[in-house]
């Protein structure tokens, strides 16, 4: 079958993210014998025009729309991507008879609401490699939709049904199809607005070593989109994939491991790093780490393996906030890890939320003073507030605090920022002035041009307008009912073969 995959991601900060999810879907579909084209809307200023031109130039049987994020996850500069996706679906309907399939982590976070809003033919929630192949097989030769992993669709009674998603293939058996990447991702000299340690951004590649997560952060949905357990690539496969990607694209200078937390579990990360050392892999790379699992020996091993930078999921800088976010470590641990990396050649960034549950104005100011006195990162990367997502502890807290209404839903952006902090101009001015006084602290690109009180007021108005627009659009759309959960067998596993 002829398949067009459309990447809808428009986020460029801190750097344009390679559409690795779409690359995996392309690899799976091609391996099953299908013809795949791609359209990456990151590089298109007029998205619908680009979609129309592609659809009228060639006939497709299936159009897959990859949604990386529901929104940009940024309270003080909120952008909601749902409306663009809905318009793309309508554009596909207008210019082609192709079946429309939604997928990606953005869809998987809120599959019911997204399906109801955008009205595709199908959606695939969770990992999509096996599901897309099974769906294409169904569309080609028939069978049962119940057999398609993670499939979202309307049953014979018009009810929304979501099949269970299973780990239907070995993660190491499929290498992403990197031919789908636009060459502009690898142009040197493009500086990211929030990378405060470099004037230019070297060309990078990305890699997943595993999927799933066993951490329990109060706001996170990785366990929902990737699974609760971990599935690993063999360390030798990780190194071989890096070497292959570097050979195929000589423009690449660095690598990023895009696991949510590379070092959890620590034993596996150690094995990967040891394999890099054994293979004498001469490629600078960086990754995301949890402070939960860092030792002096591991920092030394990271250095020996070529790691040049780590982003730490610190999330908060008080013991009370860390406990509330269910991080599993305290400020003594944060200080210890900061000193370990400060003494090493590896740059480290603390990624933090400001104004999370229970954080008072006094505590927020003290956390900033603590950072100035005791921490020495290459960067601080902060967000005011935390995006609320469904079925999380944070959602319950937002309802209890009166930030959200019971049953409001989280398809449209909603953010948790402690009301007392938003109400304190003195606190917000302190935050703004502190971040502006440190060249390596980042909160928002427009921080120098507007105070945070006015900016927060504008942001809350923007989010409220998004909700009103959503409700207006939904007036003319049929509201869906959920079908009972299936009691029969799980979707059939599909072997995609070995690399």
């Amino acid at each position: 079958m002829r398949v067009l995959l459309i990447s809808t991601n428009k986020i460029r900060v801190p750097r344009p993210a390679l559409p690795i999810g779409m690359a995996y879907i392309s690899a799976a579909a091609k391996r099953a014998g299908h013809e795949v084209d791609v359209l990456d809307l990151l590089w298109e200023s007029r998205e619908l025009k680009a979609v129309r031109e592609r659809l009228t130039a060639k006939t497709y049987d299936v159009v897959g729309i990859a949604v990386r994020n529901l929104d940009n996850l940024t309270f003080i500069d909120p952008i909601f991507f749902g409306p663009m996706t809905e318009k793309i679906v309508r554009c596909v309907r207008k210019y082609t008879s192709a079946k429309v399939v939604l997928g990606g982590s953005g869809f998987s976070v809120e599959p019911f609401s997204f399906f109801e809003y955008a009205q595709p033919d199908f959606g695939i929630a969770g990992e999509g490699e096996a599901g897309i192949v099974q769906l294409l097989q169904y569309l080609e030769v028939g069978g049962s939709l119940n057999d398609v992993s993670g499939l979202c669709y309307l049953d014979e009674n018009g009810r929304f049904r979501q099949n269970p998603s299973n780990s239907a293939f070995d993660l190491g058996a499929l290498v992403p199809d990197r031919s789908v990447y636009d060459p502009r991702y690898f142009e040197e000299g493009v500086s990211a607005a929030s990378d405060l340690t470099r004037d230019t951004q070297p060309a990078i590649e990305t890699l997943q070593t595993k999927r799933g997560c066993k951490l329990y952060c109060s706001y996170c949905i990785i366990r929902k989109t990737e699974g609760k357990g971990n599935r690993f690539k063999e360390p030798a496969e990780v190194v071989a994939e890096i070497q292959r990607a570097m050979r195929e694209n000589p423009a690449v200078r660095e690598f990023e491991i895009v696991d949510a937390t590379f070092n959890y579990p620590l034993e596996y990360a150690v094995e990967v790093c040891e394999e890099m050392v054994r293979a004498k892999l001469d490629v600078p790379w960086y990754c995301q780490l949890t402070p939960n699992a860092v030792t002096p020996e591991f920092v030394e091993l990271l250095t020996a393996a070529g790691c040049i930078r780590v982003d730490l999921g610190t999330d908060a800088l008080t013991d009370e906030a860390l406990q509330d976010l269910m991080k599993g470590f305290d400020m003594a641990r944060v200080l210890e890890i900061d000193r370990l990396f400060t003494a090493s050649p590896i740059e480290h960034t603390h990624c933090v939320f400001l104004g999370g549950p229970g954080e008072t104005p006094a505590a927020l100011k003290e956390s900033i003073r603590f950072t100035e006195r005791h921490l020495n990162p290459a960067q601080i990367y902060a967000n005011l507030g935390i995006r609320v997502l469904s079925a999380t502890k944070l959602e319950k807290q937002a309802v209890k605090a009166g930030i959200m209404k019971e049953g409001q839903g989280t398809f449209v952006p909603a953010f948790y920022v402690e009301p007392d902090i938003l109400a304190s101009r003195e606190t917000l001015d302190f935050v703004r002035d502190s971040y502006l006084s440190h060249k390596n602290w980042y909160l928002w690109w427009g921080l120098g041009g507007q105070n945070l009180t006015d900016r927060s007021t504008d942001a809350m108005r923007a989010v409220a307008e998004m909700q009103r627009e959503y409700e207006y659009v939904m007036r003319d759309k049929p509201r869906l009912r959920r079908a009972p959960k299936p009691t029969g067998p799980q979707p059939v596993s599909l072997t995609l073969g070995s690399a």
Side-chain angles (χ1 to χ4, degrees), residues 172 174-176 178 205-209 233-249 255 257 268 271-272 275-283 499:
L174 195 66
V175 175
R178 293 185 164 88
E205 255 287 4
T206 55
L207 170 82
Q208 279 186 313
T209 73
K233 291 182 181 179
E234 290 296 326
E237 292 173 346
V238 172
V239 172
E241 185 176 335
I242 294 173
Q243 292 171 328
R244 184 185 306 114
M246 298 293 287
R247 286 196 306 269
E248 293 175 354
N249 189 351
F255 233 90
I257 294 176
Y268 174 70
E271 291 177 8
V272 171
E275 185 63 30
M276 290 178 176
V277 173
R278 189 178 300 113
K280 298 180 180 180
L281 188 69
D282 187 23
V283 183

Side-chain angles (χ1 to χ4, degrees), residues 42 48 128 174 196 344 370 372 384 389 409 435 456 487:
L42 181 74
L48 295 181
L174 195 66
L196 308 181
S344 80
F370 178 92
E372 291 175 324
L384 179 61
L389 295 168
Y435 273 78
S456 298
T487 57

Side-chain angles (χ1 to χ4, degrees), residues 102-129:
L102 292 186
S105 58
F107 174 76
S108 301
V109 170
E110 296 287 349
F112 177 82
S113 297
F114 215 144
F115 196 103
E116 185 179 57
Y117 176 74
Q119 298 182 311
D121 294 294
F122 303 101
I124 297 179
E127 295 177 290
E129 292 87 349

Side-chain angles (χ1 to χ4, degrees), residues 42 53 109 137-138 285 310 332 385 399 421 455 484:
L42 181 74
E53 289 177 348
V109 170
Q137 180 178 341
Y138 166 83
W285 57 278
V310 297
V399 172
I421 288 175
R455 187 64 203 175

Side-chain angles (χ1 to χ4, degrees), residues 7-246:
S7 174
T8 62
N9 179 47
K10 301 292 288 185
I11 299 175
R12 292 173 175 261
V13 175
R15 66 183 70 87
L18 290 167
I20 190 170
M22 184 172 73
Y24 269 109
I25 297 300
S26 176
K30 286 181 178 179
R31 176 163 292 182
H34 302 286
E35 179 184 337
V36 179
D37 291 338
V38 299
L39 174 61
D40 191 340
L41 297 181
L42 181 74
W43 309 101
E44 304 292 342
S45 58
R46 299 177 62 188
E47 295 87 3
L48 295 181
K49 178 175 181 290
V51 172
R52 174 178 57 80
E53 289 177 348
R54 182 62 64 91
L55 293 175
T56 54
K58 187 174 180 179
T59 301
Y60 294 98
D61 302 300
V62 173
V63 175
I65 302 173
V67 185
R68 184 175 183 268
N69 295 99
L70 280 175
D71 56 278
N72 65 345
L73 310 176
T74 305
F75 167 69
I76 54 177
D77 190 19
I79 304 172
F80 181 34
F81 300 131
M84 182 179 74
T85 306
E86 192 260 355
K87 290 174 184 176
I88 292 171
V89 172
R90 287 195 279 118
C91 183
V92 175
R93 298 270 195 235
K94 181 175 181 180
Y95 292 104
T96 179
S97 59
K99 297 294 184 183
V100 182
V101 185
L102 292 186
S105 58
F107 174 76
S108 301
V109 170
E110 296 287 349
F112 177 82
S113 297
F114 215 144
F115 196 103
E116 185 179 57
Y117 176 74
Q119 298 182 311
D121 294 294
F122 303 101
I124 297 179
E127 295 177 290
E129 292 87 349
I132 190 63
V133 173
Q134 292 168 327
L135 177 59
L136 293 174
Q137 180 178 341
Y138 166 83
L139 294 174
E140 219 172 11
V141 301
S144 173
L145 289 176
N146 293 331
D147 294 339
V148 181
S149 176
L151 188 69
C152 301
Y153 60 103
L154 301 184
D155 67 12
E156 63 276 8
N157 296 312
R159 299 173 301 183
F160 176 84
R161 186 177 295 277
Q162 180 179 342
N163 291 344
S165 180
N166 57 27
S167 302
F169 75 103
D170 175 7
L171 182 59
L174 195 66
V175 175
D177 175 17
R178 293 185 164 88
S179 70
V180 306
Y181 296 156
D182 191 291
R184 284 170 285 188
Y185 281 110
F186 306 104
E187 290 180 357
E188 302 241 7
V190 178
S191 179
S194 61
D195 192 333
L196 308 181
T197 63
R198 297 176 172 184
D199 294 326
T200 60
Q201 175 63 59
I204 66 168
E205 255 287 4
T206 55
L207 170 82
Q208 279 186 313
T209 73
K210 64 179 179 296
R211 290 185 185 169
C213 186
K214 292 186 177 182
L215 296 174
Y216 291 89
C217 304
S218 67
Y219 58 86
C220 188
I221 42 75
I222 291 293
R223 290 160 60 85
K224 183 176 180 180
T225 59
E226 291 189 9
K228 298 177 182 179
N230 288 126
R231 282 95 61 221
F232 306 96
K233 291 182 181 179
E234 290 296 326
E237 292 173 346
V238 172
V239 172
E241 185 176 335
I242 294 173
Q243 292 171 328
R244 184 185 306 114
M246 298 293 287

Side-chain angles (χ1 to χ4, degrees), residues 404-418:
M404 294 178 61
K405 299 175 183 178
E406 187 75 45
Q408 175 179 325
T410 60
F411 175 61
V412 178
F415 298 88
Y416 193 111
V417 190
E418 274 295 337

